Amino acid sequence: MDQDDSPLRIPDSLTALTRVDLDPLSIAELEARIAALQGEIDRTRRHIERASLHRASADALFRR
């Protein structure tokens, strides 16, 4: 089965992101890129925090 939405495809998009040629971008475009990437970093950290809290809640529930 070939699944296009497979989690295994995520590293491919990350690799592609790091291979983008930055030379043709203007300073404004580079700053916009940084802002977008920082937004994604913040979103990912919030997800990690929620997942950690969820895990801690589940662990506490099953330890009783």
Side-chain angles (χ1 to χ4, degrees):
M1 292 177 127
D2 186 25
Q3 295 180 345
D4 289 339
D5 59 346
S6 170
L8 298 176
R9 296 181 65 76
I10 290 172
D12 293 340
S13 58
L14 292 174
T15 300
L17 182 65
T18 62
R19 291 184 178 168
V20 171
D21 183 11
L22 301 177
D23 287 338
L25 300 178
S26 68
I27 291 174
E29 290 169 323
L30 291 168
E31 289 173 344
R33 179 181 170 92
I34 289 170
L37 292 170
Q38 187 61 54
E40 185 60 16
I41 290 167
D42 295 342
R43 184 177 79 94
T44 304
R45 285 190 173 142
R46 286 191 305 273
H47 185 77
I48 289 170
E49 185 175 332
R50 283 193 311 270
S52 295
L53 292 173
H54 181 73
R55 174 72 184 253
S57 295
D59 287 346
L61 178 67
F62 289 109
R63 280 188 208 147
R64 291 183 184 190

